[in-house]
Amino acid sequence: MTKEEYMALALSVAESTIGQTSPNPSVGAVVVKGGRIIGIGSHLQAGKEHAEVHALAQAGEGAEGGEIYVTLEPCVHFGKTPPCADLIIKHKLKKVYIACLDPNPAVAGKGVAKLEQAGIEVEIGLGEARALELNRKFFYFMKTRRPYVTLKAAMTLDGKTATSSGDSKWITSEEARLDVHKERDIHDAILVGSQTVIKDNPQLTTRLPQGGKNPIRIILDTNLSIHDDARILDQVASTWIICGNKADVETFSSNHPHIEVMQLPADKIRISDVLDVLGEKGVQSLYVEGGSTIHGAFVREQLFQECHWYIAPKLLGGANAITAVGGESPLFMNDASSLTFTSVEQIGPDIKVVARPKEA
Ligand SMILES: Nc1c(/N=C/[C@H](O)[C@H](O)[C@H](O)COP(=O)(O)O)[nH]c(=O)[nH]c1=O
């Protein structure tokens, strides 16, 4: 295998753990000696061993004089295990291939410096684009201390997410809805507005055949207006409610002591305040399932990093049907958010379009 193929293997191993390592990044490592793979490892869960620890444990003494391919710069800090840079030095590897540097300015380059001081050759950048994409959400959070926001909407071909009566069952297929649960599984948190809770009474849990992690359910509810029997108030998953400063938190909390309520200082909920609060709580990835008014707020304030549009081959019609992105229309087309399509894929009879705002 070529060095590109060894790094591609490390990247694949890292990609297979996306969503399960938060708040840590997903990392993969491959140890090679004499053209033979002698160790493969990935970071499987925050607090557990890093990828290099697993790969080097598998390689054992045979690692001496070999090379390691790692998708993120080896750490220099003491976590659950000693710094990976020290472990690589201890195993006397000859060369380290690093796909991308740590985004944290406090540690960026420190791992490389330590390896080079120990006389180990370091090559940076092999598979870098794929390594940056793989931990895109983590890197964004590290840089901004705000969650990476993905807007999700399911709509008809003419952009409707419900009929004028609010009916939306179902627009997209089972397959497309299953894909939504895969997205929920890899996100730290999911967010909807109180209108979606009142109209749809969603569970907002991850229901995959193979199981999966429930994201934290975040409800924007200015006046704590959701009904006491709403399904998201059950104890199947964590639920946080963000409300305005006029809401009667005391009454709500006495009725629902297990629900975390965050009261913002203003009477209206501003998305930028929501993202600051969630960032402080360590939420790195946020999946916004709407509805229309909520999407309108995120789009108007340009506070999203990606949108996933699931489009069904149906035409609903009706100017009074519910549109995917509500709120006020800008006066001019120039005020539209300019995006770039990053992928379009068919899922069952539907298509999933992923688009991102043009890099600022
Ligand atoms: N109506 C449709 C959707 N509707 C999405 C609404 O947010 C709906 O209330 C929640 O997805 C329901 O959540 P839960 O299943 O109770 O956890 N989403 C889709 O992907 N396709 C559709 O057709």
Side-chain angles (χ1 to χ4, degrees), residues 152 154 161 168-173 176-177 180-181 184 192 196 200-205 207 231 289 310:
K152 171 263 172 180
T161 55
S168 63
K169 304 274 189 289
W170 288 98
I171 302 165
T172 55
S173 60
R177 298 204 305 272
V180 170
H181 284 261
R184 290 182 179 181
V192 294
T196 292
D200 292 352
N201 194 19
Q203 287 173 277
L204 300 182
T205 51
R207 301 184 302 277
R231 286 199 294 181
E289 282 216 33
Y310 293 86

mmCIF file of all heavy atoms in Angstrom, residues 152 154 161 168-173 176-177 180-181 184 192 196 200-205 207 231 289 310, ligand 1:
data_model
loop_
_atom_site.group_PDB
_atom_site.id
_atom_site.type_symbol
_atom_site.label_atom_id
_atom_site.label_comp_id
_atom_site.label_asym_id
_atom_site.label_seq_id
_atom_site.Cartn_x
_atom_site.Cartn_y
_atom_site.Cartn_z
ATOM 1 N N LYS A 152 -32.398 21.355 9.247
ATOM 2 C CA LYS A 152 -32.983 20.211 8.535
ATOM 3 C C LYS A 152 -34.441 20.532 8.231
ATOM 4 O O LYS A 152 -35.186 20.984 9.102
ATOM 5 C CB LYS A 152 -32.897 18.946 9.389
ATOM 6 C CG LYS A 152 -33.684 17.761 8.807
ATOM 7 C CD LYS A 152 -35.040 17.631 9.444
ATOM 8 C CE LYS A 152 -35.911 16.601 8.750
ATOM 9 N NZ LYS A 152 -37.244 16.508 9.408
ATOM 10 N N ALA A 154 -37.859 18.923 5.768
ATOM 11 C CA ALA A 154 -38.401 17.940 4.825
ATOM 12 C C ALA A 154 -39.545 18.624 4.111
ATOM 13 O O ALA A 154 -40.429 19.191 4.774
ATOM 14 C CB ALA A 154 -38.895 16.717 5.571
ATOM 15 N N THR A 161 -43.598 22.468 3.894
ATOM 16 C CA THR A 161 -43.309 21.505 4.971
ATOM 17 C C THR A 161 -44.585 21.068 5.681
ATOM 18 O O THR A 161 -44.548 20.221 6.566
ATOM 19 C CB THR A 161 -42.370 22.139 6.020
ATOM 20 O OG1 THR A 161 -42.979 23.351 6.471
ATOM 21 C CG2 THR A 161 -41.002 22.420 5.444
ATOM 22 N N SER A 168 -48.515 17.188 8.056
ATOM 23 C CA SER A 168 -47.220 16.946 7.376
ATOM 24 C C SER A 168 -46.888 15.463 7.358
ATOM 25 O O SER A 168 -45.751 15.077 7.149
ATOM 26 C CB SER A 168 -46.110 17.697 8.132
ATOM 27 O OG SER A 168 -46.010 17.174 9.455
ATOM 28 N N LYS A 169 -47.817 14.643 7.619
ATOM 29 C CA LYS A 169 -47.529 13.189 7.709
ATOM 30 C C LYS A 169 -47.990 12.506 6.442
ATOM 31 O O LYS A 169 -49.215 12.485 6.185
ATOM 32 C CB LYS A 169 -48.225 12.574 8.941
ATOM 33 C CG LYS A 169 -47.855 13.277 10.257
ATOM 34 C CD LYS A 169 -46.575 12.715 10.847
ATOM 35 C CE LYS A 169 -46.266 13.213 12.236
ATOM 36 N NZ LYS A 169 -45.851 14.618 12.311
ATOM 37 N N TRP A 170 -47.130 11.833 5.655
ATOM 38 C CA TRP A 170 -45.729 12.173 5.695
ATOM 39 C C TRP A 170 -45.378 12.820 4.363
ATOM 40 O O TRP A 170 -45.993 12.535 3.353
ATOM 41 C CB TRP A 170 -44.871 10.921 5.922
ATOM 42 C CG TRP A 170 -44.980 10.390 7.313
ATOM 43 C CD1 TRP A 170 -45.767 9.354 7.745
ATOM 44 C CD2 TRP A 170 -44.294 10.899 8.496
ATOM 45 N NE1 TRP A 170 -45.611 9.179 9.119
ATOM 46 C CE2 TRP A 170 -44.730 10.103 9.588
ATOM 47 C CE3 TRP A 170 -43.363 11.915 8.723
ATOM 48 C CZ2 TRP A 170 -44.250 10.309 10.892
ATOM 49 C CZ3 TRP A 170 -42.910 12.099 10.012
ATOM 50 C CH2 TRP A 170 -43.333 11.300 11.084
ATOM 51 N N ILE A 171 -44.368 13.580 4.384
ATOM 52 C CA ILE A 171 -43.885 14.194 3.134
ATOM 53 C C ILE A 171 -42.856 13.263 2.504
ATOM 54 O O ILE A 171 -42.982 12.831 1.376
ATOM 55 C CB ILE A 171 -43.230 15.558 3.445
ATOM 56 C CG1 ILE A 171 -44.240 16.468 4.137
ATOM 57 C CG2 ILE A 171 -42.681 16.194 2.173
ATOM 58 C CD1 ILE A 171 -43.619 17.672 4.808
ATOM 59 N N THR A 172 -41.826 12.926 3.306
ATOM 60 C CA THR A 172 -40.750 12.070 2.769
ATOM 61 C C THR A 172 -40.940 10.622 3.225
ATOM 62 O O THR A 172 -41.739 10.327 4.105
ATOM 63 C CB THR A 172 -39.368 12.568 3.256
ATOM 64 O OG1 THR A 172 -39.391 12.622 4.689
ATOM 65 C CG2 THR A 172 -39.048 13.946 2.700
ATOM 66 N N SER A 173 -40.150 9.775 2.613
ATOM 67 C CA SER A 173 -40.286 8.310 2.764
ATOM 68 C C SER A 173 -39.671 7.819 4.074
ATOM 69 O O SER A 173 -38.921 8.561 4.736
ATOM 70 C CB SER A 173 -39.522 7.655 1.596
ATOM 71 O OG SER A 173 -38.149 8.057 1.685
ATOM 72 N N ALA A 176 -35.925 8.178 3.938
ATOM 73 C CA ALA A 176 -35.417 9.541 4.205
ATOM 74 C C ALA A 176 -35.529 9.851 5.693
ATOM 75 O O ALA A 176 -34.637 10.453 6.295
ATOM 76 C CB ALA A 176 -36.208 10.559 3.387
ATOM 77 N N ARG A 177 -36.605 9.413 6.294
ATOM 78 C CA ARG A 177 -36.797 9.697 7.734
ATOM 79 C C ARG A 177 -35.787 8.910 8.561
ATOM 80 O O ARG A 177 -35.318 9.361 9.606
ATOM 81 C CB ARG A 177 -38.234 9.392 8.146
ATOM 82 C CG ARG A 177 -39.238 10.269 7.401
ATOM 83 C CD ARG A 177 -40.547 10.437 8.130
ATOM 84 N NE ARG A 177 -41.195 9.183 8.482
ATOM 85 C CZ ARG A 177 -42.032 8.516 7.685
ATOM 86 N NH1 ARG A 177 -42.289 8.938 6.470
ATOM 87 N NH2 ARG A 177 -42.618 7.395 8.100
ATOM 88 N N VAL A 180 -32.695 10.836 8.707
ATOM 89 C CA VAL A 180 -32.806 11.907 9.714
ATOM 90 C C VAL A 180 -32.381 11.376 11.088
ATOM 91 O O VAL A 180 -31.666 12.036 11.839
ATOM 92 C CB VAL A 180 -34.253 12.445 9.774
ATOM 93 C CG1 VAL A 180 -34.457 13.368 10.967
ATOM 94 C CG2 VAL A 180 -34.616 13.156 8.482
ATOM 95 N N HIS A 181 -32.765 10.144 11.379
ATOM 96 C CA HIS A 181 -32.378 9.566 12.685
ATOM 97 C C HIS A 181 -30.872 9.310 12.755
ATOM 98 O O HIS A 181 -30.269 9.407 13.825
ATOM 99 C CB HIS A 181 -33.185 8.288 12.959
ATOM 100 C CG HIS A 181 -34.603 8.592 13.371
ATOM 101 N ND1 HIS A 181 -35.008 8.591 14.680
ATOM 102 C CD2 HIS A 181 -35.679 8.961 12.638
ATOM 103 C CE1 HIS A 181 -36.291 8.935 14.747
ATOM 104 N NE2 HIS A 181 -36.718 9.164 13.520
ATOM 105 N N ARG A 184 -29.569 12.583 13.745
ATOM 106 C CA ARG A 184 -29.825 12.838 15.163
ATOM 107 C C ARG A 184 -28.797 12.111 16.029
ATOM 108 O O ARG A 184 -28.284 12.643 17.002
ATOM 109 C CB ARG A 184 -31.233 12.355 15.548
ATOM 110 C CG ARG A 184 -32.359 13.175 14.955
ATOM 111 C CD ARG A 184 -33.698 12.644 15.441
ATOM 112 N NE ARG A 184 -34.804 13.432 14.897
ATOM 113 C CZ ARG A 184 -36.079 13.184 15.179
ATOM 114 N NH1 ARG A 184 -36.408 12.155 15.974
ATOM 115 N NH2 ARG A 184 -37.038 13.923 14.675
ATOM 116 N N VAL A 192 -36.031 22.406 18.299
ATOM 117 C CA VAL A 192 -37.250 22.781 17.595
ATOM 118 C C VAL A 192 -37.905 23.932 18.360
ATOM 119 O O VAL A 192 -37.604 24.181 19.533
ATOM 120 C CB VAL A 192 -38.272 21.617 17.480
ATOM 121 C CG1 VAL A 192 -37.758 20.497 16.599
ATOM 122 C CG2 VAL A 192 -38.697 21.109 18.848
ATOM 123 N N THR A 196 -43.677 23.667 16.797
ATOM 124 C CA THR A 196 -43.513 22.272 16.318
ATOM 125 C C THR A 196 -43.919 21.310 17.423
ATOM 126 O O THR A 196 -44.575 20.299 17.177
ATOM 127 C CB THR A 196 -42.043 22.018 15.895
ATOM 128 O OG1 THR A 196 -41.777 22.787 14.734
ATOM 129 C CG2 THR A 196 -41.794 20.549 15.601
ATOM 130 N N ASP A 200 -46.872 19.064 16.326
ATOM 131 C CA ASP A 200 -46.478 17.690 15.965
ATOM 132 C C ASP A 200 -46.313 16.779 17.173
ATOM 133 O O ASP A 200 -46.218 15.573 17.002
ATOM 134 C CB ASP A 200 -45.131 17.704 15.213
ATOM 135 C CG ASP A 200 -45.249 18.355 13.848
ATOM 136 O OD1 ASP A 200 -46.390 18.636 13.448
ATOM 137 O OD2 ASP A 200 -44.216 18.583 13.217
ATOM 138 N N ASN A 201 -46.141 17.366 18.359
ATOM 139 C CA ASN A 201 -45.848 16.567 19.567
ATOM 140 C C ASN A 201 -44.762 15.524 19.297
ATOM 141 O O ASN A 201 -44.961 14.324 19.502
ATOM 142 C CB ASN A 201 -47.117 15.870 20.082
ATOM 143 C CG ASN A 201 -46.900 15.335 21.501
ATOM 144 O OD1 ASN A 201 -45.982 15.774 22.203
ATOM 145 N ND2 ASN A 201 -47.717 14.382 21.907
ATOM 146 N N PRO A 202 -43.609 15.955 18.774
ATOM 147 C CA PRO A 202 -42.543 15.003 18.406
ATOM 148 C C PRO A 202 -41.836 14.419 19.619
ATOM 149 O O PRO A 202 -41.867 14.998 20.700
ATOM 150 C CB PRO A 202 -41.581 15.882 17.602
ATOM 151 C CG PRO A 202 -41.730 17.238 18.213
ATOM 152 C CD PRO A 202 -43.188 17.357 18.570
ATOM 153 N N GLN A 203 -41.216 13.244 19.416
ATOM 154 C CA GLN A 203 -40.407 12.652 20.491
ATOM 155 C C GLN A 203 -38.967 13.184 20.414
ATOM 156 O O GLN A 203 -38.299 13.316 21.433
ATOM 157 C CB GLN A 203 -40.363 11.134 20.323
ATOM 158 C CG GLN A 203 -41.640 10.412 20.666
ATOM 159 C CD GLN A 203 -41.511 8.949 20.288
ATOM 160 O OE1 GLN A 203 -41.715 8.584 19.139
ATOM 161 N NE2 GLN A 203 -41.134 8.120 21.239
ATOM 162 N N LEU A 204 -38.486 13.388 19.179
ATOM 163 C CA LEU A 204 -37.130 13.926 18.928
ATOM 164 C C LEU A 204 -36.054 13.008 19.514
ATOM 165 O O LEU A 204 -35.012 13.467 19.999
ATOM 166 C CB LEU A 204 -37.000 15.356 19.461
ATOM 167 C CG LEU A 204 -37.982 16.360 18.840
ATOM 168 C CD1 LEU A 204 -37.739 17.754 19.400
ATOM 169 C CD2 LEU A 204 -37.918 16.363 17.322
ATOM 170 N N THR A 205 -36.358 11.706 19.485
ATOM 171 C CA THR A 205 -35.338 10.736 19.927
ATOM 172 C C THR A 205 -34.758 10.054 18.687
ATOM 173 O O THR A 205 -35.298 10.149 17.596
ATOM 174 C CB THR A 205 -36.010 9.653 20.808
ATOM 175 O OG1 THR A 205 -37.155 9.149 20.099
ATOM 176 C CG2 THR A 205 -36.425 10.236 22.156
ATOM 177 N N ARG A 207 -34.216 6.837 16.736
ATOM 178 C CA ARG A 207 -34.812 5.487 16.675
ATOM 179 C C ARG A 207 -34.275 4.782 15.440
ATOM 180 O O ARG A 207 -34.852 4.854 14.355
ATOM 181 C CB ARG A 207 -36.332 5.594 16.670
ATOM 182 C CG ARG A 207 -36.820 6.327 17.923
ATOM 183 C CD ARG A 207 -38.317 6.384 18.035
ATOM 184 N NE ARG A 207 -39.001 7.016 16.924
ATOM 185 C CZ ARG A 207 -39.166 8.327 16.769
ATOM 186 N NH1 ARG A 207 -38.639 9.159 17.650
ATOM 187 N NH2 ARG A 207 -39.822 8.817 15.750
ATOM 188 N N ARG A 231 -44.701 15.087 24.588
ATOM 189 C CA ARG A 231 -43.824 13.901 24.658
ATOM 190 C C ARG A 231 -42.367 14.289 24.947
ATOM 191 O O ARG A 231 -41.633 13.526 25.581
ATOM 192 C CB ARG A 231 -43.905 13.119 23.337
ATOM 193 C CG ARG A 231 -45.220 12.357 23.187
ATOM 194 C CD ARG A 231 -45.133 11.260 22.160
ATOM 195 N NE ARG A 231 -44.936 11.786 20.805
ATOM 196 C CZ ARG A 231 -44.847 10.976 19.717
ATOM 197 N NH1 ARG A 231 -44.923 9.671 19.864
ATOM 198 N NH2 ARG A 231 -44.678 11.473 18.514
ATOM 199 N N GLU A 289 -34.466 21.135 13.647
ATOM 200 C CA GLU A 289 -35.523 20.506 12.851
ATOM 201 C C GLU A 289 -36.700 21.454 12.626
ATOM 202 O O GLU A 289 -37.801 21.024 12.267
ATOM 203 C CB GLU A 289 -36.012 19.221 13.546
ATOM 204 C CG GLU A 289 -35.076 18.059 13.359
ATOM 205 C CD GLU A 289 -35.792 16.706 13.212
ATOM 206 O OE1 GLU A 289 -36.897 16.640 12.653
ATOM 207 O OE2 GLU A 289 -35.225 15.723 13.689
ATOM 208 N N TYR A 310 -34.500 17.704 2.641
ATOM 209 C CA TYR A 310 -35.041 16.435 2.115
ATOM 210 C C TYR A 310 -36.249 16.812 1.259
ATOM 211 O O TYR A 310 -37.203 17.418 1.760
ATOM 212 C CB TYR A 310 -35.482 15.513 3.269
ATOM 213 C CG TYR A 310 -34.339 15.000 4.115
ATOM 214 C CD1 TYR A 310 -33.841 15.749 5.183
ATOM 215 C CD2 TYR A 310 -33.728 13.774 3.848
ATOM 216 C CE1 TYR A 310 -32.781 15.292 5.958
ATOM 217 C CE2 TYR A 310 -32.673 13.295 4.636
ATOM 218 C CZ TYR A 310 -32.203 14.067 5.679
ATOM 219 O OH TYR A 310 -31.162 13.605 6.458
HETATM 220 N N1 LIG B 1 -43.285 15.366 8.223
HETATM 221 C C1 LIG B 1 -41.966 15.007 8.085
HETATM 222 C C2 LIG B 1 -41.023 15.377 9.045
HETATM 223 N N2 LIG B 1 -41.483 16.070 10.131
HETATM 224 C C3 LIG B 1 -40.675 16.559 11.028
HETATM 225 C C4 LIG B 1 -41.298 17.195 12.236
HETATM 226 O O1 LIG B 1 -40.366 17.910 13.005
HETATM 227 C C5 LIG B 1 -41.818 16.088 13.135
HETATM 228 O O2 LIG B 1 -42.517 16.606 14.196
HETATM 229 C C6 LIG B 1 -40.674 15.328 13.800
HETATM 230 O O3 LIG B 1 -39.750 14.884 12.882
HETATM 231 C C7 LIG B 1 -41.248 14.107 14.488
HETATM 232 O O4 LIG B 1 -40.231 13.674 15.333
HETATM 233 P P1 LIG B 1 -40.357 12.227 16.005
HETATM 234 O O5 LIG B 1 -40.433 11.258 14.865
HETATM 235 O O6 LIG B 1 -41.631 12.256 16.809
HETATM 236 O O7 LIG B 1 -39.141 12.094 16.827
HETATM 237 N N3 LIG B 1 -39.720 15.043 8.884
HETATM 238 C C8 LIG B 1 -39.328 14.309 7.802
HETATM 239 O O8 LIG B 1 -38.147 13.999 7.664
HETATM 240 N N4 LIG B 1 -40.225 13.926 6.857
HETATM 241 C C9 LIG B 1 -41.542 14.245 6.952
HETATM 242 O O9 LIG B 1 -42.310 13.870 6.095
#
